[in-house]
Amino acid sequence: MAYFPFMIDLKDRKALVVGGGDVALSKILKLRDFDADVTVVAKDVLAEIKEIENVKVVQKLFEEKDLNDLFFLVVAATNDREINDKIALFCKEKNILVNVVDDPESSSFVFPATLRRGRLTVAVSSGGAAPGAAAQLKNSIDELLSDNLDEILEFVAQERVELKRNGVGLELRKKLVRLLWDEAVAKGRPLTPREKACVIADAKSKNGSVSLVGAGAGDASLATIRAIDKLRRADVVLYDELIDKRLLDYAPKDAKRIPVGKRGCAPSTRQDDINNMMVHAAKQGANVVRLKGGDPSLFARIIEEAEALRQAQVRYDVVPGVASPFYIPQEAGIPLTARGKSRAVHLITARTADGSNESYEDLASLQGTIVILMGLGALEKIVDGLLKGGKAPDTPIAVLAGGNASRRFEVRGTLENILPRVCEADVAPPAVIIIGDVAAMDLRSPKI
């Protein structure tokens, strides 16, 4: 059964709870949390119930005459099914709201899992089917909320009154309140006067903004809370191919989702076209999320995109993400540093801006761990250059694909034998190449 959710003022409304055990206690505490006038009728009553302030306890066997239509709601919390059924029948005849514990079919209302933060109340219900699941979902929501959300709510409430007092029209007022709320939640605190002024000025300018957001290199659970917040407020999402597509579900249903994936040796969206789409959408007043695989600042053309936005006078921000050179080795149990083996990490792309051939001999002198991205097609040149530069033939190397790659693989070896192993495994891009002593390590947990 699906229950219609509505919020109601229980302050000083009369509520009867029949029963004096642990279940009754939980219902009483919920009702008192919203200032209901609670009466308890039961022969045996827990000491904890008697200690609750402003709760009237009538310690006697329940009788039908204890019910009357002065009560706004009734909770049947006895362990006697027959008594509970009689209470439910009486209440339904008198149009009194009734909750029969563990019996949603006999109830006219159920208690939701409730979360309170100052003025904010969040209620989650499974219609009585799985109260534990509703409570777990409520806890998940609680984890997403700012610790001082009550302060933010008070801030927004005051600003709403102030905007109305200053004669701001309804539509603009609603937009400003939403933007002030979004910005305050993102910062986790009420806004300063200067921050508030910037939000209001931006809203009145009719221009949107762009967020360059890192989607991470693995599943959607790796996305930051800030990244998810940006997606939830997006009007347009321009997304790379190598992301977990479940992230797109965080965007509003009516948000435009436009694939702009860039893949080597495959049809790709031109960078100039991506830049133009971002600028055009923002100039039309849209909140744009440019959802980029990994981290925006690591080999992800952030300079070209940021420069295009700056030239167009479009406001933007950057949200970091978990990059593939950190996540993919971790999937394979490879640490990037290790005491006594590697105290430095060198991140290198095998793809140059002008497409010229890169020399890898100078990499041989680097100490620590070498991580090469987009290097699968140049693996033979990489190995040859490192050997010519003086790297030992028995230097460990791992060629990995994981995260959101369509094909996963893990090929390990040394500089002298990795090429035939990669060929035999028939690997395909994208891949992360790890070179150094750590490439021989495996810190994955044993399967027990």
Side-chain angles (χ1 to χ4, degrees):
M1 180 186 298
Y3 288 82
F4 177 76
F6 68 95
M7 301 294 182
I8 192 166
D9 182 10
L10 285 182
K11 183 175 175 58
D12 298 329
R13 288 184 178 266
K14 293 185 178 298
L16 173 65
V17 177
V18 182
D22 289 329
V23 175
L25 173 62
S26 69
K27 306 302 183 186
I28 294 166
L29 291 173
K30 286 188 176 183
L31 292 170
R32 283 301 304 149
D33 195 31
F34 291 89
D35 298 320
D37 180 1
V38 180
T39 298
V40 178
V41 175
K43 181 180 180 181
D44 299 314
V45 180
L46 292 175
E48 294 93 328
I49 294 177
K50 296 177 182 179
E51 294 171 358
I52 300 175
E53 189 175 355
N54 295 325
V55 171
K56 180 181 178 182
V57 176
V58 180
Q59 201 159 349
K60 60 184 273 305
L61 286 173
F62 170 78
E63 301 174 81
E64 287 189 31
K65 64 180 182 180
D66 295 318
L67 284 170
N68 61 67
D69 52 12
L70 295 179
F71 289 110
F72 177 70
L73 64 84
V74 175
V75 178
T78 77
N79 55 11
D80 188 318
R81 177 66 180 269
E82 184 177 349
I83 292 178
N84 287 348
D85 288 344
K86 286 182 179 180
I87 294 172
L89 181 61
F90 175 87
C91 290
K92 290 180 180 179
E93 290 176 349
K94 298 293 185 178
N95 289 321
I96 300 173
L97 294 171
V98 62
N99 172 260
V100 182
V101 295
D102 293 329
D103 190 359
E105 292 183 359
S106 298
S107 303
S108 57
F109 80 96
V110 295
F111 281 83
T114 307
L115 165 65
R116 289 194 68 185
R117 292 284 190 86
R119 296 192 187 192
L120 177 70
T121 301
V122 178
V124 181
S125 172
S126 64
Q136 186 174 356
L137 181 56
K138 180 261 295 184
N139 291 336
S140 298
I141 295 172
D142 189 21
E143 292 174 0
L144 295 175
L145 300 180
S146 172
D147 289 337
N148 55 345
L149 196 62
D150 52 342
E151 295 179 29
I152 297 173
L153 276 169
E154 289 300 324
F155 161 74
V156 173
Q158 292 172 13
E159 294 305 320
R160 178 173 172 269
V161 172
E162 184 68 19
L163 290 168
K164 187 175 182 179
R165 183 184 298 122
N166 291 335
V168 178
L170 177 61
E171 290 304 316
L172 179 57
R173 189 166 73 241
K174 287 166 61 177
K175 179 181 179 181
L176 288 172
V177 168
R178 179 177 63 84
L179 292 175
L180 289 169
W181 165 262
D182 287 344
E183 192 66 20
V185 168
K187 293 184 179 298
R189 56 170 173 76
L191 302 183
T192 65
R194 181 175 182 179
E195 290 169 339
K196 181 182 73 173
C198 288
V199 170
I200 294 175
D202 288 339
K204 292 180 177 179
S205 73
K206 297 183 179 180
N207 279 342
S209 63
V210 176
S211 293
L212 307 175
V213 176
D219 62 53
S221 65
L222 289 174
T224 64
I225 294 175
R226 187 176 173 192
I228 292 172
D229 177 65
K230 293 292 185 181
L231 284 166
R232 284 176 171 153
R233 292 190 272 158
D235 301 305
V236 178
V237 182
L238 306 174
Y239 64 93
D240 283 351
E241 182 172 341
L242 290 178
I243 66 165
D244 186 335
K245 301 302 190 294
R246 291 178 297 175
L247 284 172
L248 299 177
D249 294 337
Y250 285 110
K253 290 184 178 180
D254 58 350
K256 294 181 180 178
R257 296 161 172 79
I258 304 173
V260 291
K262 301 179 74 63
R263 294 294 304 274
C265 304
S268 301
T269 306
R270 295 174 59 248
Q271 187 61 52
D272 286 345
D273 293 336
I274 296 175
N275 296 346
N276 290 336
M277 282 189 275
M278 288 191 300
V279 170
H280 177 75
K283 290 288 188 179
Q284 295 298 312
N287 288 325
V288 182
V289 168
R290 172 70 176 99
L291 193 58
K292 306 167 77 67
D295 180 89
S297 65
L298 189 64
F299 307 134
R301 305 209 179 189
I302 188 175
I303 294 177
E304 293 97 317
E305 295 182 354
E307 187 58 33
L309 295 170
R310 288 166 62 89
Q311 289 182 2
Q313 294 294 295
V314 172
R315 188 166 54 91
Y316 70 92
D317 63 340
V318 181
V319 180
V322 180
S324 60
F326 301 105
Y327 180 67
I328 305 302
Q330 178 271 329
E331 281 190 312
I334 297 176
L336 295 183
T337 62
R339 293 185 66 183
K341 294 180 179 293
S342 172
R343 59 191 294 263
V345 180
H346 309 276
L347 302 179
I348 299 163
T349 174
R351 187 169 299 165
T352 58
D354 58 5
S356 60
N357 291 325
E358 184 71 58
S359 171
Y360 298 98
E361 292 184 28
D362 55 347
L363 300 183
S365 61
L366 296 177
Q367 300 298 309
T369 304
I370 301 173
V371 182
I372 301 179
L373 305 182
M374 296 174 278
L376 191 58
L379 183 59
E380 186 173 353
K381 293 180 180 178
I382 292 170
V383 170
D384 183 61
L386 290 173
L387 290 173
K388 287 181 178 178
K391 269 297 188 199
D394 62 353
T395 300
I397 180 172
V399 181
L400 313 169
N404 295 313
S406 57
R407 286 184 56 196
R408 291 170 172 261
F409 54 79
E410 178 183 330
V411 184
R412 302 209 196 200
T414 63
L415 290 178
E416 62 183 347
N417 63 23
I418 192 65
L419 292 175
R421 293 186 180 187
V422 167
C423 184
E424 182 180 354
D426 191 27
V427 301
V432 175
I433 301 169
I434 314 294
I435 302 163
D437 290 338
V438 297
M441 302 177 70
D442 189 344
L443 302 183
R444 284 174 288 200
S445 173
K447 296 180 180 180
I448 300 175

